[in-house]
Amino acid sequence: MEDYKFLFKVVLVGNAGVGKTCLVRRFTQGLFPPGQGATIGVDFMIKTVEIENEKVKLQIWDTAGQERFRSITHSYYRSAHALILVYDISCQPTFDCLPDWLKEIEEYASSKVLRVLVGNKIDRDDREIPTHVGEDFAQRHNMYYLETSAKESDNVENLFVKIATELMEQAKSKELPRYDEINSQNINRRTTSIDVTCCGN
Amino acid sequence: MESSQIADFNFSNQLKFNIQDLTSQEDSGESSDEFSPENEFLTEEHRKLYSQLTQKENEVENELEKLLSRHCHLETKIRGITKVLPNLEIIHSDAKQLYEMISFASTLAENVSHKVRKLDIARSRVSECQQRVHDLLDLQLCCDGVQTSMNSGDFEKAAAHIHRYLAMDQNLLEKTADDVHQDSKSVNNSISLLKEAAVKLQEILTSKFNDAVAKQDSNSVERFFKLFPLLGMHDYGIEKFSDYLVDKVETSSRKHMKTASETSLTDKRAAVLYSDLLTHLFEDIARTIETHQPLVETYYGPGRLLKLVCRLQDECDRASQAVLSEMWRSRGLEKLTSSIKSGTHKSRGDPKEFDQLLGELATAHSRYSLYLHFLRRKISMDTEEEKQPTVLAALEEKLKSCVLCRTMEELLSAYLILEHHYMEESVRKAIAMDTIESGSQCSSMIDDVFFIVKKSIRRASSTGSIDGVCAVINNACGVLENEMCTKLNATLKQGYPTGYLDLAQAYSMIHARLQPSDTEQAKSLFIAHLNNTEIGSEYVTTLASGLAQEVQCPTQTDRSKLEGCLSGLSSVCAAMGMAQDLGLQQLANAAIKPRLAPWIDSFLALSHNLTEEEFSSYEANEPFVRSLIANIDGIVSEFRSSLTSGNFESLVTFLADEVNSQMERVIMKMEFNRLGGLALEREVRALTGYLNSTTSMSIRERLARLGQVAKLLNMEKINEISDIWTRFNWRLAPGEVKKVLKLRVDFPKEEIMKLKL
Ligand SMILES: Nc1nc2c(ncn2[C@@H]2O[C@H](COP(=O)(O)OP(=O)(O)OP(=O)(O)O)[C@@H](O)[C@H]2O)c(=O)[nH]1
Ligand SMILES: [Mg+2]
């Protein structure tokens, strides 16, 4: 068994081109990928962060924003612990779509999921959505709000660390099932565990 | 050497001078002795000065001695240096000699290499000259040859001549023509003749190739295709040849489309019409590439295949579009997916039809995955190692932007919506039609549900898309938790219906108007669903490890994606386990606790304050333990065959726990003497032995506390406790031990209080 105490699934959603992949790359690899194309289906990354001396493993699912991948991406909502809904502060239409995204989240995600609204690309000087508008929207829909720049590495680490911290606190207060318990769950003194890493690697 | 000797001298002289200085100072000191201390006129001050002087004199004398002692040491050193000096002279001259030798050698080498260089230049000029002579000779030969072979229709030979001519350095050739003054005319003549011939041959080959294409004469097409590169027309040749191949593919795919449109609905391939068409198309293209790749590589060299593939891909886009849009239309995919998405879909007609459609979609995508895999493999085989990344990236760029890929992604999306719907509906149906077959511990839903889920995931896996399989696995987790676990949980939450009425149960039974046979049915349903939770967990675990092995993952990212999604199945296990815990608790509450209590309460009526006589008759009759075991055995055999082994073991464990705590409860209300304690310990042993024999696992630990209570009550004397207190791992706290000991009527209370534990 790997050395971590908590495992959380984090899923990024939002319109195509708002910078989901860039945010994930910035966080997991510390770089701003030049000219990578639109995501096909879903991308998967793992990063372990340390919070209050505890190792927290984040399973990050970076979904494609394009419409034709929706039936793939919807399947990831249900088991997500946190959903990051991203829009581009310099592109009004990506903000206008937020209600549609919320509808999808309502339909497919768990009601307990941690929801975070992120306005990305704050390095750009052609901002179309003022900070307070994003904040208001988030507040009205009971979401956390953060503004980031994947390009300038602004607030990106903070975004994921905040999520990890919040989820860990929730898990500690038992609102969430803890994954390490589930992975080797002790049901009536019999151990049921699923070992998926039995082949390959 | 001399100079250093001089320096040496100077140094020793200086030393001597210094010494003289000092001695003269001393002399002057002596002269001051004339002021004898007796001199009465001497003042205090003079005295002081005198003592100072004396002190100084001493100091100077000391220093002088030190310096003089070093003098001897220094002199030996100087002598040593003097001895070494001649050696230095030798080294110096040796070095000088070496230097001369080396500089001589270097000049020599310089000279030699200069000559070698000159020689080299001369040689390369000679070979260049030879080359020119060759070229001139060949030029003449080619010039003569090309005419005759062109006239005789031997285009291979003519092209070879032109190729030879083109291989010559054209600039050099013209310079040679200038150099050979007397013959310049004939050389220039040959060049222009060949240039003309090249142009003419290009024209001839082009038209011959076109003729061959028009006549569908594949031998001639190939014949002329091979000649283009000899005239330096690589790109042109590939282009023309691609056009020709595209044409062939197009003809073939039109033919397939036509046959397809004539296929009757009752034909046995009708259900897979479109995946068949796509298969034909991909196979046509793959075969075309496969058969012509050697030709291209042999005559055009490596790295030319990409261009051909790209041209064929354009045709593939066109043809596949025709197939897919027809499929989309005639299978009603648009309507199906949107009605499912909006939740208005009515499962019309035959579920088998739906199954077939899913099969067709999965097959179509699977063929597409194989086709892409084929293209990637062919292109990487056609490319030199170092160019592979760029060429493969170019292929990916082409594929990413092609219509086929976009449409197939849309197709996969539709497939996933349908598959999810199919899985959900079928699972619901299986749960609705749940039955309990005699001889089976579980109900039918467990096998049915897992059959459906496995089928869906396997089908998704056949598409060759990792994102596709992962999505279906995610959906399967949702369906298993939302449909199956919810259903099992609901059954188990209702509790195990017993025929043994307590008031509350009787009351609810009257209200629900349950018939006894209803109770029997409800009982077996409860048991079957409880067993479902155990078997379900096992199935999920097996499913996950099976999938981890059988799903093909081309890249490491794909594998970690798959593993990430499979880990979702463990939360299904957890949900199943929670339902199971609930069920076991309910079963125990209904079938064990209420029945066990009165049986054990009967123990209260049996005095354990026994005389010898009473003891012997008690031992002979075993009034309590025999009937208790018989009663418990009734429960155990009721569930032994109906519960799965894990559930049965859990139930027995629960039973043991209950016996343990309830026995202790009644014992604490009784009195014992020595013989009563002995009887008790025998009874407890019998109970433990029986319970332990019911399952293969050890149950003794569960009854350890009761055993210890019995052991305490069976002590001969109270001070035995100090002996056994250290020997066991006590489940009883010291306070509890004392409480138990107080049950012995023959143990004085004060002594018990005094015990130090
Ligand atoms: N100026 C600026 N540009 C950004 C930032 N983040 C992303 N971009 C650019 O936005 C474009 C799209 O970024 P992606 O990360 O691919 O967007 P995505 O949300 O993953 O898109 P899909 O995968 O299609 O859903 C790229 O050209 C990035 O360079 C940012 O913080 N600042
Ligand atoms: Mg992306």
Side-chain angles (χ1 to χ4, degrees), chain B residues 407-593:
Chain B
T407 331
M408 290 312 289
E409 282 159 5
E410 277 160 9
L411 185 91
L412 183 69
S413 178
Y415 160 75
L416 289 172
I417 292 170
L418 300 188
E419 186 72 87
H420 189 190
H421 180 73
Y422 167 82
M423 182 161 60
E424 204 168 54
E425 285 299 303
S426 316
V427 165
R428 277 185 193 149
K429 208 175 286 172
I431 290 172
M433 293 181 2
D434 192 27
T435 49
I436 301 161
E437 282 136 39
S438 59
S440 157
Q441 291 176 322
C442 299
S443 67
S444 68
M445 74 151 90
I446 195 83
D447 282 337
D448 294 352
V449 164
F450 276 92
F451 176 79
I452 294 158
V453 166
K454 265 190 239 169
K455 182 172 167 179
S456 282
I457 297 176
R458 294 242 159 84
R459 186 156 49 206
S461 159
S462 79
T463 64
S465 156
I466 281 291
D467 281 338
V469 202
C470 284
V472 174
I473 291 172
N474 292 339
N475 292 337
C477 293
V479 169
L480 287 174
E481 268 186 58
N482 297 343
E483 306 297 333
M484 190 163 77
C485 292
T486 310
K487 175 68 190 172
L488 297 179
N489 220 42
T491 311
L492 298 174
K493 206 169 166 189
Q494 282 178 0
Y496 181 70
T498 55
Y500 326 100
L501 302 180
D502 60 32
L503 272 177
Q505 280 172 337
Y507 183 75
S508 72
M509 229 170 116
I510 292 160
H511 269 252
R513 293 205 188 82
L514 282 174
Q515 301 299 311
S517 68
D518 285 347
T519 315
E520 283 312 304
Q521 261 181 13
K523 258 192 202 174
S524 52
L525 184 72
F526 181 96
I527 295 297
H529 282 196
L530 179 57
N531 290 337
N532 284 353
T533 59
E534 185 181 343
I535 301 300
S537 289
E538 276 170 26
Y539 280 5
V540 171
T541 313
T542 324
L543 180 66
S545 55
L547 289 173
Q549 287 184 6
E550 78 192 43
V551 175
Q552 299 290 319
C553 297
T555 67
Q556 194 49 47
T557 324
D558 289 342
R559 173 139 300 274
S560 45
K561 265 192 205 176
L562 178 72
E563 281 169 5
C565 289
L566 287 177
S567 75
L569 283 168
S570 60
S571 67
V572 177
C573 266
M576 214 81 91
M578 261 148 70
Q580 186 182 24
D581 283 349
L582 171 74
L584 285 167
Q585 193 65 44
Q586 295 276 33
L587 184 60
N589 285 347
I592 296 182
K593 270 193 187 165

Side-chain angles (χ1 to χ4, degrees), chain A residues 25-38:
Chain A
R25 289 285 160 89
R26 169 60 77 191
F27 175 60
T28 55
Q29 300 170 329
L31 48 85
F32 184 68
Q36 108 283 355

Side-chain angles (χ1 to χ4, degrees), chain A residues 20-21 36-39 62-63:
Chain A
K20 299 180 291 294
T21 303
Q36 108 283 355
T39 305
D62 167 27
T63 67

Side-chain angles (χ1 to χ4, degrees), chain A residues 7 9 36-38 40-44 46 59 61 66-72 74-76 78-79 107-108 179 182-183 185-190 192-201, chain B residues 400 406 409-410 412-413 416-417 467 470-471 474-475 477-478 481 534 537 540-541 544-545 548-549 556 559-561 563-571 573-574 577 580-581 584 646 650 702:
Chain A
L7 187 147
K9 289 191 184 180
Q36 108 283 355
I40 305 291
V42 264
D43 266 346
F44 178 65
I46 283 186
Q59 244 189 28
W61 298 90
Q66 282 168 314
E67 183 76 33
R68 65 177 181 282
F69 299 111
R70 281 308 142 78
S71 56
I72 292 172
H74 285 161
S75 75
Y76 288 90
R78 197 187 61 87
S79 58
E107 185 175 352
Y108 298 106
Y179 257 73
I182 286 172
N183 278 339
Q185 208 176 16
N186 209 334
I187 303 164
N188 293 305
R189 299 151 294 276
R190 281 171 297 118
T192 317
S193 79
I194 291 189
D195 187 10
V196 291
T197 50
C198 49
C199 77
N201 294 12
Chain B
K400 222 194 236 170
R406 227 192 34 243
E409 282 159 5
E410 277 160 9
L412 183 69
S413 178
L416 289 172
I417 292 170
D467 281 338
C470 284
N474 292 339
N475 292 337
C477 293
E481 268 186 58
E534 185 181 343
S537 289
V540 171
T541 313
S545 55
Q549 287 184 6
Q556 194 49 47
R559 173 139 300 274
S560 45
K561 265 192 205 176
E563 281 169 5
C565 289
L566 287 177
S567 75
L569 283 168
S570 60
S571 67
C573 266
Q580 186 182 24
D581 283 349
L584 285 167
S650 299
R702 298 264 150 198

